Amino acid sequence: MILFSEFKAKYRTTALTFISFYEVNYTYDRELLVDYFGCVFDLLRGLIKRHISPKSLDRLDVVQEVMKDGSLLDALFDYDNMETGLSRHLSVICCKLKNLIDDEKI
């Protein structure tokens, strides 16, 4: 139960930080988000590793590698091009995260 509480707290912190970087222009910190996502993935792996197949764990590793690279995050937080590219999806992502936080699902 402690591992789940740690996961939930870190996931919430990561979501709030993600939203903050969206709401306050030019505050995006790639290293911080990559570190937060790394912690979230490590905790998630600890929670699910006994319940899913090795192939599914490999899929989780692929997603983690994409997030560790940081280029996806850089593309999302391209403040100079918020109307184009991946950045245009940032408002929807943050809105959904806010709803989850407001509904206490995160």
Side-chain angles (χ1 to χ4, degrees), residues 19-73:
I19 293 166
S20 174
F21 289 158
Y22 167 70
E23 291 178 339
V24 183
N25 286 343
Y26 300 99
T27 58
Y28 165 63
D29 184 335
R30 176 187 192 170
E31 290 181 29
L32 181 66
L33 271 185
V34 166
D35 182 52
Y36 279 10
F37 277 117
C39 290
V40 167
F41 278 107
D42 290 343
L43 291 167
L44 178 61
R45 179 179 258 287
L47 284 170
I48 65 174
K49 67 183 175 188
R50 292 180 284 144
H51 306 286
I52 63 174
S53 71
K55 188 173 182 179
S56 293
L57 282 174
D58 289 344
R59 289 182 184 127
L60 179 64
D61 290 342
V62 169
V63 174
Q64 184 175 14
E65 287 303 314
V66 169
M67 298 310 286
K68 278 167 97 177
D69 174 35
S71 58
L72 175 64
L73 293 170

Side-chain angles (χ1 to χ4, degrees), residues 63-88:
V63 174
Q64 184 175 14
E65 287 303 314
V66 169
M67 298 310 286
K68 278 167 97 177
D69 174 35
S71 58
L72 175 64
L73 293 170
D74 291 344
L76 278 170
F77 287 98
D78 183 3
Y79 294 111
D80 295 326
N81 297 304
M82 289 305 251
E83 301 302 318
T84 61
L86 289 178
S87 297
R88 70 180 189 269

